[in-house]
Amino acid sequence: MTKDKFDSPKNQTQSPTLPTAESINRVREGLAAAVDPAVRQQIAETLQQLTKMSSQQPEPRVNGGVRRFVLRSLIHAFFQVQVEYLERFPQQPAILAVNHLHHIDPFLLLSEIPTQPYYYILGDARTLYNKWWKRFILGFAGGVIPLERMWKEEFAVIAEAKAGRKELLELATAIEHNVPKGTDIQTLRQIDRIVLTILARGDGIVLFPEGRLGESEGNLHLPLKRGTVIYALKSGVPIVPVALIGTHNLYLGKKLTIRFGQPLHFAQNSTPKRQEVEQVVLKLQNEMIALLPTDYQEPTEPKLLCNFLNHLFW
């Protein structure tokens, strides 16, 4: 696995963003999750189970229908959900390549996609496990590959502390001591083995190839990371581009849309060349952009429970 599959320190800091009061507060909450014993235990146990699965031992997980029922009950209690072109969803294992606007996105997807094949989510460990109810649901449901890594906001805090902002020095030091960067070779190879084993076993994967949260509806954070394409080429499974619309800002009763694209099929290649990967990345990028709205307008209706729901799914 190459470093640019996910957010490396270089990629995180290419577009420097000065930390705001809001982002600093998010960093503090993220740090709290990083040192929370319950979060640490959940990550360790999940990775241990997934690594054993790589040795042909079964991974405990709930029935896909039960998982979907629980998550759909939660999501539909707060939002209207519209699914478009579900008939394009393949019956065979696939990689879903999805734009990423909010931390609700993986829960929304799992609440609506078919239960067979069984789909795993590769996502940020702290935002998947930072709240008790997420740990409860995902702990019994399974289907999560937790990825430990620093966030762009954390890199920004560290950079500002080094640039002389003394009020951020203590926070930056705590981040460096407690938050894994997620770019060491051992971690990357472990994730590689888990993902490819899942695909080889006939299950699917949900990936967010932007590698970070997008900043606005209808736009992708480019360039896309190459990991989605490398996994697809090595495993020979198709990529299904998916657009999520409306999740950037949540409020009670808001319509959230899941729009599926046509599956993209490629010949299997265990050692894809960089040029081939780049060509497929460009094709995937174009297909994802085509699914997104070109004139999205945020509804003007009253945004009830906006702050509560945005923070609930953070």
Side-chain angles (χ1 to χ4, degrees):
M1 174 189 279
T2 56
K3 284 188 177 183
D4 63 350
K5 283 191 178 186
F6 305 110
D7 286 338
S8 68
K10 178 180 178 181
N11 290 333
Q12 290 269 20
T13 57
Q14 277 183 333
S15 301
T17 302
L18 295 179
T20 63
E22 181 180 2
S23 66
I24 290 173
N25 183 61
R26 181 172 187 264
V27 166
R28 293 188 187 279
E29 293 183 1
L31 178 61
V35 299
D36 186 332
V39 175
R40 303 303 319 156
Q41 180 179 358
Q42 186 83 57
I43 294 171
E45 290 179 353
T46 302
L47 287 175
Q48 184 180 38
Q49 291 170 351
L50 291 169
T51 301
K52 287 181 179 179
M53 179 188 66
S54 298
S55 302
Q56 303 305 311
Q57 298 184 32
E59 183 244 351
R61 66 188 192 192
V62 76
N63 176 274
V66 174
R67 180 178 69 173
R68 184 173 67 176
F69 173 78
V70 171
L71 290 173
R72 181 176 288 183
S73 298
L74 173 67
I75 299 296
H76 285 221
F78 295 109
F79 310 105
Q80 303 176 56
V81 180
Q82 177 173 306
V83 181
E84 297 179 357
Y85 307 114
L86 184 60
E87 68 275 7
R88 295 173 174 173
F89 198 93
Q91 296 183 356
Q92 68 192 98
I95 296 174
L96 307 187
V98 192
N99 66 308
H100 201 8
L101 293 167
H102 198 283
H103 298 302
I104 194 177
D105 294 346
F107 300 98
L108 175 62
L109 276 167
L110 293 180
S111 74
E112 297 296 332
I113 62 177
T115 59
Q116 294 295 329
Y118 194 94
Y119 274 84
Y120 285 75
I121 294 282
L122 173 61
D124 182 83
R126 285 179 288 162
T127 52
L128 285 169
Y129 293 142
N130 63 340
K131 291 185 169 64
W132 70 266
W133 66 267
K134 293 181 184 179
R135 293 194 296 274
F136 174 75
I137 291 176
L138 296 177
F140 90 85
V144 170
I145 309 169
L147 177 66
E148 294 194 86
R149 59 182 177 182
M150 279 191 185
W151 302 336
K152 65 181 186 299
E153 295 93 341
E154 291 169 330
F155 283 111
V157 166
I158 292 171
E160 284 297 291
K162 291 180 177 179
R165 287 187 61 176
K166 294 182 180 180
E167 74 276 15
L168 295 179
L169 183 59
E170 183 178 355
L171 178 58
T173 301
I175 292 169
E176 290 187 306
H177 286 170
N178 295 286
V179 180
K181 287 186 172 65
T183 55
D184 63 282
I185 296 300
Q186 183 178 357
T187 297
L188 297 176
R189 286 177 176 170
Q190 180 186 35
I191 297 296
D192 255 2
R193 289 193 297 269
I194 290 171
V195 170
L196 292 173
T197 297
I198 286 170
L199 294 171
R201 287 164 61 97
D203 293 319
I205 297 280
V206 177
L207 298 176
F208 299 97
E210 291 169 283
R212 53 167 284 180
L213 288 177
E215 298 176 353
S216 60
E217 296 279 355
N219 294 295
L220 287 180
H221 181 75
L222 302 175
L224 299 181
K225 308 302 179 187
R226 300 187 302 156
T228 300
V229 167
I230 292 173
Y231 288 142
L233 293 174
K234 284 188 174 183
S235 63
V237 305
I239 302 175
V240 180
V242 184
L244 298 182
I245 304 166
T247 66
H248 187 257
N249 186 39
L250 303 177
Y251 57 85
L252 185 64
K254 188 175 188 183
K255 184 174 78 171
L256 310 179
T257 300
I258 305 173
R259 182 177 294 162
F260 292 100
Q262 295 285 0
L264 307 176
H265 296 269
F266 310 98
Q268 184 174 4
N269 184 348
S270 59
T271 56
K273 302 298 183 184
R274 186 180 185 91
Q275 183 178 3
E276 180 184 7
V277 171
E278 296 296 344
Q279 289 175 346
V280 178
V281 168
L282 182 59
K283 181 174 181 59
L284 173 61
Q285 174 181 305
N286 291 337
E287 294 293 328
M288 292 180 69
I289 290 173
L291 292 172
L292 294 170
T294 57
D295 56 351
Y296 180 85
Q297 298 292 324
E298 186 68 21
T300 58
E301 59 194 357
K303 295 177 172 53
L304 301 177
L305 300 181
C306 180
N307 291 334
F308 168 74
L309 289 173
N310 280 311
H311 197 264
L312 175 66
F313 289 97
W314 173 82

